[in-house]
Amino acid sequence: SATDTTPPAISEINVVPAKNSATITWKTNEGSTSWVVYGTSTNYGLEKKTTSYVASHSLTITGLTPSTTYHYQLKSKDSSGNISCSSCSTDKTFTTLAEGEVLSEDEEEEVPEEEVPEEEEAVPVSSAPFTLEKPLSQMSREELISTILKLIIYLQQKKEQPSAAEVSFEGIPDNFSFQTNLKLGMNLPDVKYLQIVLNSAPETKLANSGPGSPGNETTYFGSVTLAGAKKFQQKYASGVLTPLGLSAPTGFIGSSSRDKLNDILKGK
């Protein structure tokens, strides 16, 4: 039989951008691999590909920056090793969404209904931060696209947020718990442990360098620790301030603040 020297023909290219990701779909006239090279310039530098041979392709690339234009090429290789390239002579681009931005109705219309990213289809609906008004099978084309975009954005944000179990409290003794009230001017080991907990979250981080910064925690409760303690109380106001009838943080680490600190140490 004649040797196959014809590369797959790529067609029906669509891109669904999100804030930190983008799903690219396309079709080929024969079974072939899915392959995308991309980057912020025509030098590309990044790629994602699969080894399975399919005619309907879908790749989701993640770790992207919001409001950024990316250049890309699509490639597909058939079982005979012939490689097609969607844009070897003409560069293609897409732009990720800005914070809080969603696709317009006109842009949504361009996405075929059947091209639902497989990775997002497998996600339990209960994990999404919104309630479905109806089963997926009863959704219109526009409703299905909107739901998929919300799932993509949520999953990417969730992936970027470390869980409590992933937060390191190196330097705090095992089984330690906050039992002593802490305030400005005190000099105790507990203050150092407080600083370690505060430095574990970007919202309450004490400093980027110098005394009190990660790895340079001290036992002294000074103005820097006070400011971090206030941020901590504001962050967890509903459990720390509200039960005490307070609306503004004080920086004094009393019983309610200690309880929350201990919950964090336990990974709650």
Side-chain angles (χ1 to χ4, degrees):
S1 60
T3 302
D4 177 13
T5 59
T6 304
I10 293 178
S11 62
E12 299 184 35
I13 301 170
N14 283 289
V15 181
V16 180
K19 185 178 67 173
N20 300 110
S21 63
T23 297
I24 306 175
T25 60
W26 70 97
K27 292 185 177 181
T28 50
N29 61 342
E30 62 175 314
S32 55
T33 61
S34 307
W35 186 0
V36 58
V37 293
Y38 63 98
T40 54
S41 71
T42 52
N43 292 327
Y44 307 110
L46 300 170
E47 67 174 18
K48 183 171 183 178
K49 57 185 176 181
T50 66
T51 56
S52 56
Y53 295 95
V54 296
S56 294
H57 306 261
S58 177
L59 282 179
T60 298
I61 52 179
T62 59
L64 306 182
T65 303
S67 303
T68 301
T69 297
Y70 285 85
H71 301 257
Y72 74 97
Q73 288 184 355
L74 300 179
K75 300 181 181 182
S76 287
K77 181 172 69 173
D78 63 20
S79 57
S80 298
N82 301 306
I83 300 177
S84 61
C85 177
S86 67
S87 53
C88 291
S89 58
T90 304
D91 183 56
K92 291 186 178 295
T93 63
F94 65 85
T95 301
T96 50
L97 302 186
E99 296 285 348
E101 182 184 1
V102 296
L103 290 181
S104 67
E105 291 183 1
D106 290 341
E107 291 172 314
E108 290 177 350
E109 284 293 329
E110 298 176 0
V111 184
E113 179 181 3
E114 68 274 14
E115 293 179 347
V116 179
E118 295 180 359
E119 295 176 1
E120 280 66 47
E121 282 186 318
V123 177
V125 172
S126 60
S127 68
F130 55 89
T131 302
L132 293 178
E133 297 180 357
K134 62 181 74 172
L136 292 174
S137 59
Q138 297 178 13
M139 285 188 179
S140 67
R141 176 178 177 176
E142 292 76 14
E143 291 170 333
L144 184 60
I145 292 171
S146 177
T147 300
I148 293 170
L149 289 174
K150 290 178 182 178
L151 277 172
I152 292 173
I153 293 172
Y154 168 68
L155 290 172
Q156 183 61 30
Q157 291 175 338
K158 187 173 182 180
K159 181 179 179 181
E160 294 171 353
Q161 296 174 351
S163 65
E166 294 173 327
V167 176
S168 173
F169 296 115
E170 184 176 354
I172 299 180
D174 293 340
N175 301 319
F176 169 82
S177 64
F178 290 94
Q179 302 295 330
T180 303
N181 292 340
L182 303 173
K183 62 181 180 179
L184 186 66
M186 296 184 76
N187 197 327
L188 292 171
D190 289 26
V191 175
K192 180 177 182 179
Y193 306 149
L194 168 64
Q195 292 179 0
I196 292 174
V197 175
L198 295 177
N199 281 332
S200 69
E203 305 96 318
T204 57
K205 185 178 179 181
L206 300 183
N208 291 322
S209 61
S213 63
N216 295 298
E217 291 87 359
T218 72
T219 59
Y220 180 66
F221 197 127
S223 58
V224 173
T225 305
L226 180 66
K230 288 182 178 180
K231 292 177 181 178
F232 175 85
Q233 292 172 335
Q234 190 65 57
K235 179 180 179 180
Y236 299 106
S238 61
V240 173
L241 300 178
T242 304
L244 301 178
L246 299 174
S247 58
T250 64
F252 174 76
I253 304 299
S255 59
S256 60
S257 294
R258 287 190 285 105
D259 287 344
K260 185 59 186 178
L261 287 165
N262 289 330
D263 284 346
I264 292 174
L265 288 179
K266 295 175 184 176
K268 293 183 178 180

